[in-house]
Amino acid sequence: MARGSKPKTVRNCVTVLIIVLAVFLSIRLLPAAHANDDSCLRIALPEATQDAFGLEIYREVMSSVGLCVDPITMPNARAVVAMQAGEVDGVFAVLDEFADHVDVPVIRGHVLVGNPDGLLVVRKETVTALSELTTQSIGVWLGSTWSEELLSGYGNIVRCPGGPDMMMNMLRRGRIDGMLINSFSLEMLGGAPEGFITIPVRKLPVRSWLQAKHSDLMPQFDQGTELFRDRIIAWRARAQ
């Protein structure tokens, strides 16, 4: 009995030692993992991105260049407020005017995310230029500064907090006569409805932005932005 009990005692001691080491390591590793989560950049992405490409792809490409990001989908108007409140550290795709509307120091990425057309969508045989609008009700994406600027002084604007989806729904139902929308968002919605035409009104260069306090991360952020942009271009090519 004595000879048989010794190996059993050794095994028990080894088991206890393994458990103690596992607990010790878990205590040491948990704070580190939490610190890594805290260090992730919170990046605002347009709502359309979530449905089309998925946020995991954005995390994946940023991780490949050494950045941990926490993408959050929100309207562009909300991104301005979120940046000012410190709720996000950057945005994936907004116009150059973004810096004029936030009260915190920001820096613009060097990668051109896109350069879509700003389009006026109206029923055929009504108008052929923005300057010909008279009494038509025109939907704009709430927070879309380029739309507001183009329609400055025009008295029949319908601001849509629901963005492109809401504008398209209202257009189809006849609740608005037209809308201002970027060509990328219109493409995501399947194009202009039957009986409507698109009139280009301006180009919309789009870039990524970070709070200035993260300027040291901009080279990696640019690399990840370029990779994600290329993934979007490839996705669009397959979808056509």
Side-chain angles (χ1 to χ4, degrees):
M1 292 293 291
R3 287 195 301 271
S5 63
K6 186 175 181 179
K8 183 176 181 180
T9 301
V10 172
R11 286 197 300 271
N12 289 341
C13 290
V14 171
T15 302
V16 170
L17 179 60
I18 292 173
I19 293 172
V20 170
L21 284 173
V23 171
F24 174 76
L25 288 173
S26 66
I27 293 173
R28 292 293 301 275
L29 291 174
L30 280 176
H34 182 68
N36 288 338
D37 290 341
D38 287 345
S39 66
C40 290
L41 293 174
R42 296 159 298 175
I43 306 297
L45 271 70
E47 292 169 307
T49 308
Q50 180 179 19
D51 297 332
F53 322 112
L55 303 184
E56 287 305 318
I57 296 177
Y58 188 70
R59 288 193 186 95
E60 175 191 320
V61 296
M62 284 298 180
S63 178
S64 71
V65 299
L67 281 183
C68 177
V69 298
D70 181 16
I72 307 166
T73 56
M74 62 179 64
N76 284 341
R78 172 62 183 153
V80 173
V81 177
M83 184 75 96
Q84 292 180 162
E87 296 172 1
V88 296
D89 301 295
V91 292
F92 165 64
V94 286
L95 299 176
D96 286 351
E97 296 96 273
F98 179 74
D100 300 328
H101 298 279
V102 292
D103 296 329
V104 295
V106 293
I107 54 173
R108 188 184 72 177
H110 297 92
V111 176
L112 185 65
V113 174
N115 194 24
D117 289 316
L119 301 172
L120 173 64
V121 180
V122 289
R123 193 171 294 279
K124 291 178 181 178
E125 300 178 358
T126 53
V127 300
T128 59
L130 198 67
S131 59
E132 296 177 4
L133 292 174
T134 52
T135 60
Q136 292 89 352
S137 57
I138 303 298
V140 301
W141 189 347
L142 182 64
S144 176
T145 54
W146 68 271
S147 301
E148 298 279 357
E149 290 169 1
L150 285 175
L151 292 177
S152 177
Y154 188 70
N156 203 359
I157 302 174
V158 180
R159 295 172 177 84
C160 303
D165 288 322
M166 182 178 181
M167 289 195 298
M168 180 64 81
N169 185 49
M170 294 178 70
L171 191 69
R172 293 183 184 279
R173 292 171 177 267
R175 295 176 59 186
I176 55 176
D177 300 312
M179 63 180 177
L180 281 176
I181 188 172
N182 67 76
S183 56
F184 175 73
S185 293
L186 184 62
E187 180 183 337
M188 298 295 295
L189 294 172
E194 185 176 355
F196 286 80
I197 60 171
T198 60
I199 302 170
V201 291
R202 64 161 286 189
K203 280 289 185 180
L204 300 171
V206 174
R207 299 180 189 270
S208 291
W209 295 75
L210 282 178
Q211 286 194 20
K213 64 183 181 181
H214 300 300
S215 59
D216 59 316
L217 300 177
M218 183 54 81
Q220 291 165 277
F221 191 62
D222 272 341
Q223 291 177 35
T225 298
E226 186 172 14
L227 288 172
F228 189 56
R229 181 201 62 189
D230 292 346
R231 293 285 287 270
I232 292 174
I233 292 172
W235 176 87
R236 294 174 67 185
R238 290 194 301 269
Q240 290 177 351

